[in-house]
Amino acid sequence: MLETSARLLRLLSLLQMRQEWTGPELANRLSITTRTVRRDIDKLRDLGYPVEANVGVGGGYRLGAGAEMPPLLLDDQEVLAVAVGLNTVAAGGIAGIQEASAGALTKLRQVMPSRLRHRLDALSVDSVPRDASWTTIPADRLTDIATTCHRHERLRFDYRKADGTESRRDIEPYRVVRNGSRWYLIGWDLAREDWRSFRIDRMEPKTPTGPRFSPRELPEGGAGAYLARSIGAVYRSATARVRVHAPLTDIAAMVSDDWATIESGNDSACELRVYSKSLTSIARWLRAFNADFDILEPAALRAECAALADEHDRLADRYRRSITHP
């Protein structure tokens, strides 16, 4: 009896793993015959689980939708994945959902075997506090926007840019994408006739939503790739070339492809192309090399370095030397 019950639980777990299984596949996974699979399927049905069967070539078994949710069977790694995910949400990011996430995590932890509770406790980490207004969005706003994407309904909203200017937007919403602690909406801007990305924390959706639309083909690589390109374009809006008087091996270890490329170098100096949102931020980054440098282009970067030299007397000589060399 115990062996049969364990096998039924294992069968139920397999049915929850993917949409459909053939009889031979289940028999192979459970090390039983296809006849025993059929008997076990009937036992699950007697217990109230809606297991559907498709006959013929390519047919198989699937767990149908029922009036009640069946027991959720997870292996050790899946339990930890769910727990860590809930812990991450509870730490912040979406306003109004932290309490629910913490409650779900508490319930999950109560039914965990001790070996998993110990592993979960070992994964506990602290988070750096952040300004909630900068990082969080209301849970209902995120849900409503995701719903309009799913229903293919046009969305109107007021949008506030980084400089504080506001505008009314009318778009075809397609995907919600998370990047770090921020959430974005990717959509087709009807007025600009092009794809755009919008930070959800800067949006104020209007109701009711607009009419349904026929989905367009997403940009190359999908919504996530489009957002990465959009954010990358913002952070590369300013470019400069500099010569840093330090060995190439030292500088190469400090340079990331996200914000600079090394064009040439040797044991005494190397030339870099640096990217950022502004020349001011590039000028500030140059301090990180802890070495003398020459500005090759643009000339406007020399003015930024001169301004920093006036602000920071300790670095004044280094910055002033940088603007005296062509």
Side-chain angles (χ1 to χ4, degrees):
M1 179 64 70
L2 289 176
E3 180 181 351
T4 301
S5 299
R7 192 175 67 241
L8 288 178
L9 287 173
R10 176 61 177 155
L11 174 58
L12 184 58
S13 177
L14 290 173
L15 291 172
Q16 290 177 339
M17 285 177 60
R18 73 186 201 195
Q19 186 172 6
E20 190 166 284
W21 294 85
T22 66
E25 286 175 330
L26 291 172
N28 182 62
R29 293 293 292 268
L30 296 169
S31 299
I32 57 177
T33 65
T34 54
R35 183 179 179 181
T36 303
V37 168
R38 290 193 295 271
R39 287 202 303 263
D40 286 350
I41 291 292
D42 289 337
K43 290 176 182 177
L44 288 179
R45 289 170 176 160
D46 291 340
L47 292 171
Y49 297 108
V51 183
E52 301 171 355
N54 295 322
V55 298
V57 178
Y61 299 100
R62 71 171 67 186
L63 190 62
E68 295 182 359
M69 182 178 176
L72 188 60
L73 303 177
L74 304 173
D75 62 27
D76 288 5
Q77 292 302 317
E78 290 170 337
V79 169
L80 288 175
V82 173
V84 171
L86 288 170
N87 194 36
T88 301
V89 174
I94 305 176
I97 205 172
Q98 292 93 335
E99 184 175 347
S101 300
L105 180 59
T106 299
K107 293 177 182 178
L108 179 62
R109 195 178 186 282
Q110 288 174 346
V111 298
M112 279 183 177
S114 59
R115 68 179 187 279
L116 292 184
R117 286 200 300 271
H118 293 326
R119 294 179 63 184
L120 180 62
D121 292 341
L123 288 171
S124 297
V125 296
D126 290 334
S127 300
V128 176
R130 292 186 175 183
D131 182 359
S133 64
W134 185 78
T135 58
T136 61
I137 57 174
D140 56 350
R141 181 187 304 175
L142 183 64
T143 302
D144 291 345
I145 291 175
T147 300
T148 62
C149 293
H150 179 71
R151 293 177 177 174
H152 304 306
E153 296 175 345
R154 281 168 52 174
L155 181 65
R156 297 176 300 111
F157 57 91
D158 290 334
Y159 191 68
R160 184 185 71 260
K161 292 185 177 180
D163 60 6
T165 60
E166 296 185 358
S167 61
R168 174 65 58 85
R169 301 297 182 96
D170 190 358
I171 73 166
E172 296 175 354
Y174 279 80
R175 295 286 188 278
V176 171
V177 181
R178 184 173 66 88
N179 180 57
S181 62
R182 287 178 175 151
W183 295 80
Y184 294 81
L185 173 65
I186 308 301
W188 178 266
D189 192 310
L190 296 169
R192 293 158 179 79
E193 296 185 343
D194 199 3
W195 293 98
R196 290 290 190 272
S197 62
F198 306 93
R199 272 180 48 179
I200 293 180
D201 60 306
R202 294 177 177 170
M203 295 172 55
E204 288 293 340
K206 303 299 178 182
T207 56
T209 56
R212 295 176 64 89
F213 60 87
S214 298
R216 306 171 190 266
E217 184 177 353
L218 284 167
E220 182 180 358
Y226 172 79
L227 179 63
R229 291 194 297 269
S230 300
I231 295 176
V234 171
Y235 283 94
R236 291 185 171 223
S237 55
T239 305
R241 290 181 62 244
V242 298
R243 181 186 297 112
V244 181
H245 296 281
L248 174 61
T249 53
D250 294 347
I251 298 302
M254 304 170 61
V255 171
S256 168
D257 292 338
D258 294 335
W259 56 271
T261 56
I262 298 176
E263 297 184 334
S264 63
N266 51 38
D267 291 340
S268 60
C270 54
E271 295 184 4
L272 290 78
R273 185 172 294 275
V274 187
Y275 312 95
S276 186
K277 296 173 65 174
S278 66
L279 291 177
T280 300
S281 62
I282 290 179
R284 295 184 183 278
W285 281 2
L286 292 175
R287 285 182 285 174
F289 293 118
N290 195 30
D292 289 342
F293 56 87
D294 302 329
I295 297 173
L296 304 180
E297 60 181 39
L301 181 57
R302 299 192 183 103
E304 296 291 343
C305 289
L308 281 177
D310 292 336
E311 293 178 13
H312 304 278
D313 292 336
R314 185 173 59 85
L315 299 175
D317 290 341
R318 177 167 293 162
Y319 274 89
R320 290 195 177 99
R321 282 197 299 272
S322 74
I323 64 178
T324 59
H325 292 83

